[in-house]
Amino acid sequence: MESDAGDRWTNVDRYIDGTLVGSDDALEQALQECAAAGLPPINVSPSQGKLLHVLARAVGARRILEIGTLGGYSGIWLARALPHGGTLVTIEVNEAHARVARRNFDRAGVTPRIEMRVGRALEVLPTLVNEHQPPFDLVFIDADKTEYADYLERSIPLCRSGSLIVADNVVRNGTVVDGESPDPLVRGVRRFMAVVAGDRRVTATALQTVGVKGYDGFAVIVVV
Ligand code: SAH
Ligand code: DHB
Ligand code: MG
C-alpha cells in the first residue's frame, strides 16, 4: 500500500516537473555534483524548489536568507528569483558542503547574488543582526531541526512586517504528531511549531507534502 502510494506520489511529481517546473543543466548538474561529492540526498525536490522560487517572486524578494545550504540546490532556485542587485545570504556549517555549493552557484551563474556564510547558524545569525543590513523578505529554514525554534527567534529581528518565513521538514512522515517521541528531530520540530504558535509577531500555517521526497511538509509563516 505504502509503496503504491509512493509510486503515485513520484509519478505525479514527475508529471508536475514535466509540465510546470522545468529544469536545466545547472540544476541537474548541481544534483549530480552533490551525489558525486557524497552529500546526503536531502535537498528539496524540483517542485519544492520551484515553490520556493514562486514564493520569492510573489513577495518580490530582494533579500533572501537561507539556513542550510547543502550543495546549493534550493539556493539556485531562490537566487534565480532575485531581481538584479538582489542577494541570497546562505548559511552552511559544513565546509565540504559549502565547497560543492560554491561550484554549483558558479555553474548556475548566480554567484554575484550569493553571500555564503560558513559557520553554525546560531553563531552567524547574531553577526547578521550586528551588521544592520536591510531586512530579509524571505527566510528559508532547512538546517538542524533541533535548532529550528532558535533560528526563528534569531531570524524575526532580521525581517520586516510582511516577510515570509518557510521551514522545511515539519511533518516528517507524520511523526510530528507524537508528543511523546524521543526522536530529537521530532522534538525539535514540535518545539518550533509551539514557538511559532505562541509568538504574536507571526501568524502561520503548515502544508503537508507528498512526492519524490516522501511525506513531509512546510511551515509557512508571515511576520505581521
Ligand atoms: N536547503 C538545502 C538542503 C539543506 S540540508 C537544499 O534543499 O538544497 C541541511 C544543511 O544544513 C546541511 O548541509 C547541513 O550541513 C547544514 N547544517 C546543519 N546544521 C547546521 C547549523 N547548525 N548551521 C548551519 N548549517 C547547518
Ligand atoms: C533531513 C534533513 C532535511 O533538510 C531534509 O529535507 C530531509 C531529511 C535529515 O536530516 O534527515
Ligand atoms: Mg529539508
mmCIF file of all heavy atoms in Angstrom, residues 17-65:
data_model
loop_
_atom_site.group_PDB
_atom_site.id
_atom_site.type_symbol
_atom_site.label_atom_id
_atom_site.label_comp_id
_atom_site.label_asym_id
_atom_site.label_seq_id
_atom_site.Cartn_x
_atom_site.Cartn_y
_atom_site.Cartn_z
ATOM 1 N N ASP A 17 6.776 18.142 -12.627
ATOM 2 C CA ASP A 17 8.095 18.615 -13.091
ATOM 3 C C ASP A 17 8.081 18.812 -14.603
ATOM 4 O O ASP A 17 8.598 19.809 -15.114
ATOM 5 C CB ASP A 17 9.195 17.610 -12.724
ATOM 6 C CG ASP A 17 9.406 17.494 -11.222
ATOM 7 O OD1 ASP A 17 8.859 18.341 -10.480
ATOM 8 O OD2 ASP A 17 10.100 16.551 -10.798
ATOM 9 N N GLY A 18 7.476 17.848 -15.308
ATOM 10 C CA GLY A 18 7.478 17.896 -16.774
ATOM 11 C C GLY A 18 6.574 18.977 -17.336
ATOM 12 O O GLY A 18 6.806 19.473 -18.437
ATOM 13 N N THR A 19 5.533 19.342 -16.587
ATOM 14 C CA THR A 19 4.613 20.351 -17.100
ATOM 15 C C THR A 19 4.988 21.757 -16.630
ATOM 16 O O THR A 19 5.156 22.660 -17.440
ATOM 17 C CB THR A 19 3.165 20.049 -16.661
ATOM 18 O OG1 THR A 19 3.150 19.795 -15.253
ATOM 19 C CG2 THR A 19 2.612 18.856 -17.397
ATOM 20 N N LEU A 20 5.131 21.930 -15.320
ATOM 21 C CA LEU A 20 5.220 23.284 -14.758
ATOM 22 C C LEU A 20 6.606 23.701 -14.292
ATOM 23 O O LEU A 20 6.941 24.880 -14.333
ATOM 24 C CB LEU A 20 4.261 23.411 -13.545
ATOM 25 C CG LEU A 20 2.792 23.108 -13.803
ATOM 26 C CD1 LEU A 20 1.998 23.257 -12.505
ATOM 27 C CD2 LEU A 20 2.234 24.048 -14.875
ATOM 28 N N VAL A 21 7.370 22.746 -13.774
ATOM 29 C CA VAL A 21 8.569 23.126 -13.024
ATOM 30 C C VAL A 21 9.727 23.490 -13.940
ATOM 31 O O VAL A 21 10.353 24.532 -13.775
ATOM 32 C CB VAL A 21 8.980 21.990 -12.047
ATOM 33 C CG1 VAL A 21 10.318 22.298 -11.378
ATOM 34 C CG2 VAL A 21 7.889 21.798 -10.992
ATOM 35 N N GLY A 22 9.981 22.630 -14.928
ATOM 36 C CA GLY A 22 11.107 22.862 -15.831
ATOM 37 C C GLY A 22 12.423 22.552 -15.134
ATOM 38 O O GLY A 22 12.498 22.468 -13.916
ATOM 39 N N SER A 23 13.444 22.337 -15.932
ATOM 40 C CA SER A 23 14.774 22.133 -15.370
ATOM 41 C C SER A 23 15.794 22.582 -16.395
ATOM 42 O O SER A 23 15.422 23.014 -17.495
ATOM 43 C CB SER A 23 14.999 20.664 -14.995
ATOM 44 O OG SER A 23 16.183 20.557 -14.229
ATOM 45 N N ASP A 24 17.044 22.498 -16.046
ATOM 46 C CA ASP A 24 18.106 22.872 -16.979
ATOM 47 C C ASP A 24 19.405 22.248 -16.489
ATOM 48 O O ASP A 24 19.459 21.646 -15.422
ATOM 49 C CB ASP A 24 18.216 24.387 -17.108
ATOM 50 C CG ASP A 24 18.340 25.051 -15.766
ATOM 51 O OD1 ASP A 24 19.207 24.635 -14.966
ATOM 52 O OD2 ASP A 24 17.553 25.975 -15.475
ATOM 53 N N ASP A 25 20.454 22.427 -17.283
ATOM 54 C CA ASP A 25 21.723 21.776 -16.972
ATOM 55 C C ASP A 25 22.252 22.176 -15.608
ATOM 56 O O ASP A 25 22.792 21.339 -14.877
ATOM 57 C CB ASP A 25 22.765 22.121 -18.043
ATOM 58 C CG ASP A 25 22.459 21.425 -19.360
ATOM 59 O OD1 ASP A 25 21.571 20.543 -19.357
ATOM 60 O OD2 ASP A 25 23.087 21.774 -20.376
ATOM 61 N N ALA A 26 22.115 23.444 -15.228
ATOM 62 C CA ALA A 26 22.702 23.892 -13.956
ATOM 63 C C ALA A 26 22.041 23.178 -12.781
ATOM 64 O O ALA A 26 22.720 22.750 -11.840
ATOM 65 C CB ALA A 26 22.561 25.405 -13.815
ATOM 66 N N LEU A 27 20.727 23.051 -12.822
ATOM 67 C CA LEU A 27 20.020 22.369 -11.729
ATOM 68 C C LEU A 27 20.344 20.880 -11.712
ATOM 69 O O LEU A 27 20.617 20.300 -10.663
ATOM 70 C CB LEU A 27 18.509 22.583 -11.865
ATOM 71 C CG LEU A 27 18.012 23.989 -11.527
ATOM 72 C CD1 LEU A 27 16.592 24.197 -12.040
ATOM 73 C CD2 LEU A 27 18.083 24.244 -10.025
ATOM 74 N N GLU A 28 20.316 20.263 -12.902
ATOM 75 C CA GLU A 28 20.608 18.824 -12.978
ATOM 76 C C GLU A 28 22.043 18.539 -12.537
ATOM 77 O O GLU A 28 22.299 17.605 -11.781
ATOM 78 C CB GLU A 28 20.440 18.330 -14.425
ATOM 79 C CG GLU A 28 19.104 18.679 -15.048
ATOM 80 C CD GLU A 28 18.064 17.603 -14.819
ATOM 81 O OE1 GLU A 28 18.428 16.426 -14.949
ATOM 82 O OE2 GLU A 28 16.913 17.956 -14.506
ATOM 83 N N GLN A 29 22.958 19.361 -13.019
ATOM 84 C CA GLN A 29 24.363 19.144 -12.662
ATOM 85 C C GLN A 29 24.607 19.404 -11.189
ATOM 86 O O GLN A 29 25.452 18.756 -10.575
ATOM 87 C CB GLN A 29 25.276 20.031 -13.513
ATOM 88 C CG GLN A 29 25.439 19.515 -14.932
ATOM 89 C CD GLN A 29 26.497 20.311 -15.695
ATOM 90 O OE1 GLN A 29 27.551 20.624 -15.160
ATOM 91 N NE2 GLN A 29 26.187 20.642 -16.937
ATOM 92 N N ALA A 30 23.869 20.331 -10.618
ATOM 93 C CA ALA A 30 24.018 20.584 -9.177
ATOM 94 C C ALA A 30 23.701 19.314 -8.400
ATOM 95 O O ALA A 30 24.441 18.925 -7.484
ATOM 96 C CB ALA A 30 23.103 21.730 -8.748
ATOM 97 N N LEU A 31 22.623 18.653 -8.768
ATOM 98 C CA LEU A 31 22.257 17.414 -8.070
ATOM 99 C C LEU A 31 23.295 16.327 -8.317
ATOM 100 O O LEU A 31 23.646 15.571 -7.406
ATOM 101 C CB LEU A 31 20.870 16.941 -8.514
ATOM 102 C CG LEU A 31 19.705 17.835 -8.062
ATOM 103 C CD1 LEU A 31 18.373 17.275 -8.550
ATOM 104 C CD2 LEU A 31 19.697 17.982 -6.536
ATOM 105 N N GLN A 32 23.801 16.266 -9.548
ATOM 106 C CA GLN A 32 24.832 15.264 -9.844
ATOM 107 C C GLN A 32 26.094 15.517 -9.035
ATOM 108 O O GLN A 32 26.717 14.595 -8.522
ATOM 109 C CB GLN A 32 25.158 15.262 -11.346
ATOM 110 C CG GLN A 32 24.106 14.519 -12.175
ATOM 111 C CD GLN A 32 24.233 14.799 -13.669
ATOM 112 O OE1 GLN A 32 25.299 15.206 -14.140
ATOM 113 N NE2 GLN A 32 23.151 14.581 -14.408
ATOM 114 N N GLU A 33 26.487 16.790 -8.930
ATOM 115 C CA GLU A 33 27.692 17.138 -8.153
ATOM 116 C C GLU A 33 27.509 16.814 -6.676
ATOM 117 O O GLU A 33 28.435 16.376 -6.003
ATOM 118 C CB GLU A 33 28.011 18.632 -8.306
ATOM 119 C CG GLU A 33 28.479 19.033 -9.689
ATOM 120 C CD GLU A 33 29.902 18.559 -9.979
ATOM 121 O OE1 GLU A 33 30.686 18.419 -9.019
ATOM 122 O OE2 GLU A 33 30.199 18.324 -11.161
ATOM 123 N N CYS A 34 26.301 17.050 -6.166
ATOM 124 C CA CYS A 34 26.020 16.729 -4.755
ATOM 125 C C CYS A 34 26.192 15.232 -4.531
ATOM 126 O O CYS A 34 26.831 14.799 -3.559
ATOM 127 C CB CYS A 34 24.590 17.142 -4.377
ATOM 128 S SG CYS A 34 24.365 18.919 -4.224
ATOM 129 N N ALA A 35 25.635 14.438 -5.458
ATOM 130 C CA ALA A 35 25.728 12.984 -5.320
ATOM 131 C C ALA A 35 27.178 12.535 -5.455
ATOM 132 O O ALA A 35 27.670 11.722 -4.658
ATOM 133 C CB ALA A 35 24.840 12.310 -6.367
ATOM 134 N N ALA A 36 27.886 13.085 -6.448
ATOM 135 C CA ALA A 36 29.271 12.685 -6.676
ATOM 136 C C ALA A 36 30.159 13.012 -5.477
ATOM 137 O O ALA A 36 31.117 12.301 -5.185
ATOM 138 C CB ALA A 36 29.806 13.378 -7.940
ATOM 139 N N ALA A 37 29.828 14.095 -4.776
ATOM 140 C CA ALA A 37 30.621 14.503 -3.610
ATOM 141 C C ALA A 37 30.199 13.761 -2.342
ATOM 142 O O ALA A 37 30.743 13.993 -1.272
ATOM 143 C CB ALA A 37 30.499 16.011 -3.403
ATOM 144 N N GLY A 38 29.175 12.896 -2.485
ATOM 145 C CA GLY A 38 28.739 12.110 -1.339
ATOM 146 C C GLY A 38 27.885 12.875 -0.346
ATOM 147 O O GLY A 38 27.728 12.453 0.806
ATOM 148 N N LEU A 39 27.295 13.989 -0.769
ATOM 149 C CA LEU A 39 26.392 14.717 0.115
ATOM 150 C C LEU A 39 25.104 13.917 0.314
ATOM 151 O O LEU A 39 24.672 13.211 -0.596
ATOM 152 C CB LEU A 39 26.050 16.095 -0.480
ATOM 153 C CG LEU A 39 26.964 17.259 -0.111
ATOM 154 C CD1 LEU A 39 28.426 16.920 -0.287
ATOM 155 C CD2 LEU A 39 26.607 18.505 -0.909
ATOM 156 N N PRO A 40 24.472 14.019 1.484
ATOM 157 C CA PRO A 40 23.210 13.294 1.676
ATOM 158 C C PRO A 40 22.136 13.869 0.749
ATOM 159 O O PRO A 40 22.118 15.081 0.516
ATOM 160 C CB PRO A 40 22.865 13.567 3.146
ATOM 161 C CG PRO A 40 23.617 14.810 3.497
ATOM 162 C CD PRO A 40 24.861 14.810 2.659
ATOM 163 N N PRO A 41 21.276 13.013 0.200
ATOM 164 C CA PRO A 41 20.268 13.488 -0.782
ATOM 165 C C PRO A 41 19.059 14.108 -0.079
ATOM 166 O O PRO A 41 17.940 13.622 -0.184
ATOM 167 C CB PRO A 41 19.891 12.205 -1.534
ATOM 168 C CG PRO A 41 20.086 11.117 -0.511
ATOM 169 C CD PRO A 41 21.220 11.563 0.385
ATOM 170 N N ILE A 42 19.307 15.203 0.642
ATOM 171 C CA ILE A 42 18.241 15.813 1.440
ATOM 172 C C ILE A 42 17.901 17.219 0.950
ATOM 173 O O ILE A 42 17.303 18.005 1.673
ATOM 174 C CB ILE A 42 18.600 15.829 2.951
ATOM 175 C CG1 ILE A 42 19.937 16.517 3.198
ATOM 176 C CG2 ILE A 42 18.631 14.399 3.499
ATOM 177 C CD1 ILE A 42 20.290 16.670 4.676
ATOM 178 N N ASN A 43 18.312 17.516 -0.298
ATOM 179 C CA ASN A 43 17.874 18.748 -0.951
ATOM 180 C C ASN A 43 16.371 18.709 -1.167
ATOM 181 O O ASN A 43 15.777 17.630 -1.198
ATOM 182 C CB ASN A 43 18.586 18.881 -2.302
ATOM 183 C CG ASN A 43 18.458 17.610 -3.120
ATOM 184 O OD1 ASN A 43 19.277 16.686 -2.938
ATOM 185 N ND2 ASN A 43 17.429 17.498 -3.948
ATOM 186 N N VAL A 44 15.758 19.870 -1.323
ATOM 187 C CA VAL A 44 14.350 19.899 -1.706
ATOM 188 C C VAL A 44 14.188 19.262 -3.083
ATOM 189 O O VAL A 44 15.144 19.187 -3.858
ATOM 190 C CB VAL A 44 13.780 21.343 -1.726
ATOM 191 C CG1 VAL A 44 13.761 21.957 -0.331
ATOM 192 C CG2 VAL A 44 14.524 22.237 -2.719
ATOM 193 N N SER A 45 12.980 18.822 -3.386
ATOM 194 C CA SER A 45 12.697 18.253 -4.709
ATOM 195 C C SER A 45 12.572 19.388 -5.728
ATOM 196 O O SER A 45 12.444 20.558 -5.348
ATOM 197 C CB SER A 45 11.389 17.463 -4.650
ATOM 198 O OG SER A 45 10.302 18.360 -4.478
ATOM 199 N N PRO A 46 12.574 19.055 -7.030
ATOM 200 C CA PRO A 46 12.392 20.115 -8.032
ATOM 201 C C PRO A 46 11.107 20.921 -7.830
ATOM 202 O O PRO A 46 11.138 22.157 -7.864
ATOM 203 C CB PRO A 46 12.366 19.336 -9.351
ATOM 204 C CG PRO A 46 13.226 18.131 -9.080
ATOM 205 C CD PRO A 46 12.935 17.757 -7.647
ATOM 206 N N SER A 47 9.988 20.243 -7.591
ATOM 207 C CA SER A 47 8.734 21.004 -7.447
ATOM 208 C C SER A 47 8.749 21.851 -6.177
ATOM 209 O O SER A 47 8.153 22.938 -6.145
ATOM 210 C CB SER A 47 7.523 20.066 -7.464
ATOM 211 O OG SER A 47 7.581 19.124 -6.414
ATOM 212 N N GLN A 48 9.450 21.390 -5.137
ATOM 213 C CA GLN A 48 9.567 22.197 -3.921
ATOM 214 C C GLN A 48 10.511 23.379 -4.141
ATOM 215 O O GLN A 48 10.259 24.489 -3.649
ATOM 216 C CB GLN A 48 10.077 21.332 -2.765
ATOM 217 C CG GLN A 48 9.074 20.290 -2.317
ATOM 218 C CD GLN A 48 9.672 19.273 -1.351
ATOM 219 O OE1 GLN A 48 10.902 19.158 -1.233
ATOM 220 N NE2 GLN A 48 8.819 18.531 -0.673
ATOM 221 N N GLY A 49 11.586 23.144 -4.891
ATOM 222 C CA GLY A 49 12.489 24.246 -5.230
ATOM 223 C C GLY A 49 11.749 25.315 -6.014
ATOM 224 O O GLY A 49 11.893 26.519 -5.768
ATOM 225 N N LYS A 50 10.918 24.857 -6.954
ATOM 226 C CA LYS A 50 10.135 25.820 -7.743
ATOM 227 C C LYS A 50 9.142 26.546 -6.864
ATOM 228 O O LYS A 50 8.881 27.743 -7.075
ATOM 229 C CB LYS A 50 9.436 25.094 -8.897
ATOM 230 C CG LYS A 50 8.650 25.988 -9.853
ATOM 231 C CD LYS A 50 9.546 26.854 -10.725
ATOM 232 C CE LYS A 50 8.772 27.753 -11.687
ATOM 233 N NZ LYS A 50 8.294 27.086 -12.900
ATOM 234 N N LEU A 51 8.580 25.852 -5.860
ATOM 235 C CA LEU A 51 7.668 26.524 -4.913
ATOM 236 C C LEU A 51 8.407 27.668 -4.203
ATOM 237 O O LEU A 51 7.875 28.782 -4.085
ATOM 238 C CB LEU A 51 7.126 25.532 -3.881
ATOM 239 C CG LEU A 51 6.303 26.174 -2.750
ATOM 240 C CD1 LEU A 51 4.992 26.778 -3.278
ATOM 241 C CD2 LEU A 51 6.010 25.157 -1.642
ATOM 242 N N LEU A 52 9.622 27.408 -3.737
ATOM 243 C CA LEU A 52 10.390 28.461 -3.075
ATOM 244 C C LEU A 52 10.612 29.636 -4.029
ATOM 245 O O LEU A 52 10.511 30.807 -3.642
ATOM 246 C CB LEU A 52 11.736 27.910 -2.580
ATOM 247 C CG LEU A 52 11.653 26.836 -1.490
ATOM 248 C CD1 LEU A 52 13.032 26.216 -1.252
ATOM 249 C CD2 LEU A 52 11.094 27.415 -0.192
ATOM 250 N N HIS A 53 10.917 29.308 -5.267
ATOM 251 C CA HIS A 53 11.133 30.320 -6.299
ATOM 252 C C HIS A 53 9.871 31.158 -6.530
ATOM 253 O O HIS A 53 9.916 32.393 -6.589
ATOM 254 C CB HIS A 53 11.561 29.597 -7.583
ATOM 255 C CG HIS A 53 11.765 30.473 -8.762
ATOM 256 N ND1 HIS A 53 12.990 31.008 -9.110
ATOM 257 C CD2 HIS A 53 10.899 30.923 -9.707
ATOM 258 C CE1 HIS A 53 12.862 31.743 -10.199
ATOM 259 N NE2 HIS A 53 11.611 31.702 -10.580
ATOM 260 N N VAL A 54 8.743 30.475 -6.615
ATOM 261 C CA VAL A 54 7.466 31.174 -6.848
ATOM 262 C C VAL A 54 7.134 32.073 -5.650
ATOM 263 O O VAL A 54 6.712 33.229 -5.823
ATOM 264 C CB VAL A 54 6.332 30.151 -7.114
ATOM 265 C CG1 VAL A 54 4.963 30.806 -7.035
ATOM 266 C CG2 VAL A 54 6.533 29.486 -8.477
ATOM 267 N N LEU A 55 7.337 31.563 -4.445
ATOM 268 C CA LEU A 55 7.056 32.368 -3.244
ATOM 269 C C LEU A 55 7.966 33.603 -3.207
ATOM 270 O O LEU A 55 7.515 34.699 -2.873
ATOM 271 C CB LEU A 55 7.245 31.534 -1.972
ATOM 272 C CG LEU A 55 6.204 30.428 -1.743
ATOM 273 C CD1 LEU A 55 6.593 29.578 -0.537
ATOM 274 C CD2 LEU A 55 4.807 31.028 -1.560
ATOM 275 N N ALA A 56 9.232 33.404 -3.539
ATOM 276 C CA ALA A 56 10.173 34.531 -3.518
ATOM 277 C C ALA A 56 9.734 35.607 -4.508
ATOM 278 O O ALA A 56 9.769 36.799 -4.210
ATOM 279 C CB ALA A 56 11.586 34.041 -3.834
ATOM 280 N N ARG A 57 9.278 35.177 -5.669
ATOM 281 C CA ARG A 57 8.816 36.153 -6.662
ATOM 282 C C ARG A 57 7.506 36.797 -6.234
ATOM 283 O O ARG A 57 7.279 37.983 -6.484
ATOM 284 C CB ARG A 57 8.681 35.490 -8.024
ATOM 285 C CG ARG A 57 10.055 35.160 -8.573
ATOM 286 C CD ARG A 57 10.010 34.476 -9.897
ATOM 287 N NE ARG A 57 9.525 35.317 -10.964
ATOM 288 C CZ ARG A 57 9.786 35.108 -12.239
ATOM 289 N NH1 ARG A 57 10.532 34.062 -12.589
ATOM 290 N NH2 ARG A 57 9.309 35.896 -13.158
ATOM 291 N N ALA A 58 6.647 35.992 -5.582
ATOM 292 C CA ALA A 58 5.343 36.524 -5.158
ATOM 293 C C ALA A 58 5.512 37.662 -4.151
ATOM 294 O O ALA A 58 4.741 38.627 -4.174
ATOM 295 C CB ALA A 58 4.484 35.413 -4.550
ATOM 296 N N VAL A 59 6.510 37.536 -3.268
ATOM 297 C CA VAL A 59 6.722 38.599 -2.274
ATOM 298 C C VAL A 59 7.697 39.656 -2.794
ATOM 299 O O VAL A 59 8.041 40.584 -2.068
ATOM 300 C CB VAL A 59 7.199 38.048 -0.899
ATOM 301 C CG1 VAL A 59 6.205 37.048 -0.348
ATOM 302 C CG2 VAL A 59 8.588 37.428 -0.981
ATOM 303 N N GLY A 60 8.129 39.507 -4.047
ATOM 304 C CA GLY A 60 9.067 40.476 -4.613
ATOM 305 C C GLY A 60 10.375 40.522 -3.854
ATOM 306 O O GLY A 60 10.945 41.600 -3.642
ATOM 307 N N ALA A 61 10.844 39.348 -3.432
ATOM 308 C CA ALA A 61 12.024 39.308 -2.551
ATOM 309 C C ALA A 61 13.258 39.895 -3.234
ATOM 310 O O ALA A 61 13.610 39.512 -4.351
ATOM 311 C CB ALA A 61 12.295 37.872 -2.114
ATOM 312 N N ARG A 62 13.900 40.811 -2.537
ATOM 313 C CA ARG A 62 15.192 41.345 -2.978
ATOM 314 C C ARG A 62 16.320 40.812 -2.118
ATOM 315 O O ARG A 62 17.476 40.788 -2.523
ATOM 316 C CB ARG A 62 15.196 42.880 -2.898
ATOM 317 C CG ARG A 62 14.114 43.550 -3.726
ATOM 318 C CD ARG A 62 14.292 45.054 -3.716
ATOM 319 N NE ARG A 62 15.631 45.412 -4.153
ATOM 320 C CZ ARG A 62 15.991 45.527 -5.432
ATOM 321 N NH1 ARG A 62 15.108 45.331 -6.393
ATOM 322 N NH2 ARG A 62 17.228 45.838 -5.744
ATOM 323 N N ARG A 63 15.963 40.406 -0.894
ATOM 324 C CA ARG A 63 16.957 39.816 0.010
ATOM 325 C C ARG A 63 16.370 38.551 0.620
ATOM 326 O O ARG A 63 15.280 38.572 1.203
ATOM 327 C CB ARG A 63 17.339 40.804 1.116
ATOM 328 C CG ARG A 63 18.191 41.960 0.602
ATOM 329 C CD ARG A 63 18.498 42.974 1.682
ATOM 330 N NE ARG A 63 18.997 42.373 2.904
ATOM 331 C CZ ARG A 63 20.254 41.959 3.095
ATOM 332 N NH1 ARG A 63 21.152 42.071 2.141
ATOM 333 N NH2 ARG A 63 20.615 41.428 4.247
ATOM 334 N N ILE A 64 17.090 37.452 0.472
ATOM 335 C CA ILE A 64 16.629 36.150 0.963
ATOM 336 C C ILE A 64 17.696 35.580 1.884
ATOM 337 O O ILE A 64 18.898 35.689 1.608
ATOM 338 C CB ILE A 64 16.359 35.172 -0.208
ATOM 339 C CG1 ILE A 64 15.317 35.764 -1.182
ATOM 340 C CG2 ILE A 64 15.910 33.806 0.320
ATOM 341 C CD1 ILE A 64 15.081 34.914 -2.428
ATOM 342 N N LEU A 65 17.239 34.978 2.983
ATOM 343 C CA LEU A 65 18.137 34.285 3.912
ATOM 344 C C LEU A 65 17.811 32.799 3.872
ATOM 345 O O LEU A 65 16.645 32.415 4.024
ATOM 346 C CB LEU A 65 17.925 34.818 5.337
ATOM 347 C CG LEU A 65 18.672 34.075 6.457
ATOM 348 C CD1 LEU A 65 20.180 34.182 6.293
ATOM 349 C CD2 LEU A 65 18.237 34.619 7.826
#
